[in-house]
Amino acid sequence: MPGGGFCKLPNGSVVVALSLPSPMGDGSQVRFLVHAANRARALTRLRNLGLRAVYLRGNAEPPTPDEITAVLHHPDGLLWRGTPENREELWHPIRTLLSPRRAPEVTWGSALAPLNRRTGSIFAGRAEHAGRAEH
């Protein structure tokens, strides 16, 4: 069951902590920490990264003082840890989850995919513009 909580800081900003089920499906959880101006913006930051069904209901698992310190000292203000119960695992920046994947190899089939369906030409833009210029 996803759980989480928040802590309002003296300057008015908040630190939101969310524990979500691991995508591995092994029953473990992933803990996310977000520093933002308010709770809505913190959740929006996570949703913009692809975590669409993220909601904060209640304050059952607020961030610990160590978690608050970790997220405040990180320039991105967005961290995650694979096993929240393991205090020895370090916090990871969100960039490690969003690292660019290798580009797929281009095959002839995929290179010919952008054909113009009307003319059958790869240069659909040029053909249409050239036709309009002549008229």
Side-chain angles (χ1 to χ4, degrees):
M1 180 85 190
F6 68 95
C7 179
K8 191 160 186 140
L9 302 176
N11 66 356
S13 62
V14 296
V15 174
V16 173
L18 288 170
S19 297
L20 301 173
S22 173
M24 303 294 255
D26 56 358
S28 64
Q29 292 189 338
V30 178
R31 182 93 163 163
F32 289 92
L33 299 176
V34 185
H35 179 234
N38 55 42
R39 285 180 287 175
R41 286 189 182 176
L43 296 175
T44 300
R45 286 187 73 188
L46 288 173
R47 289 182 186 127
N48 288 343
L49 295 172
L51 302 171
R52 296 291 178 211
V54 175
Y55 299 100
L56 184 62
R57 293 187 175 102
N59 200 13
E61 298 176 20
T64 64
D66 290 337
E67 291 175 335
I68 294 171
T69 302
V71 76
L72 287 178
H73 283 85
H74 195 273
D76 292 342
L78 188 52
L79 301 172
W80 68 278
R81 180 162 61 184
T83 52
E85 60 278 351
N86 183 4
R87 302 279 182 211
E88 294 178 7
E89 183 183 358
L90 298 176
W91 290 97
H92 307 285
I94 199 69
R95 289 185 300 250
T96 60
L97 286 178
L98 304 175
S99 62
R101 295 190 174 97
R102 288 181 43 189
E105 293 182 22
V106 177
T107 61
W108 285 108
S110 64
L112 298 177
L115 287 175
N116 184 353
R117 291 189 176 130
R118 196 168 22 144
T119 62
S121 171
I122 294 175
F123 305 104
R126 287 188 193 171
E128 290 173 6
H129 291 295
R132 288 183 188 152
E134 293 173 3
H135 292 275

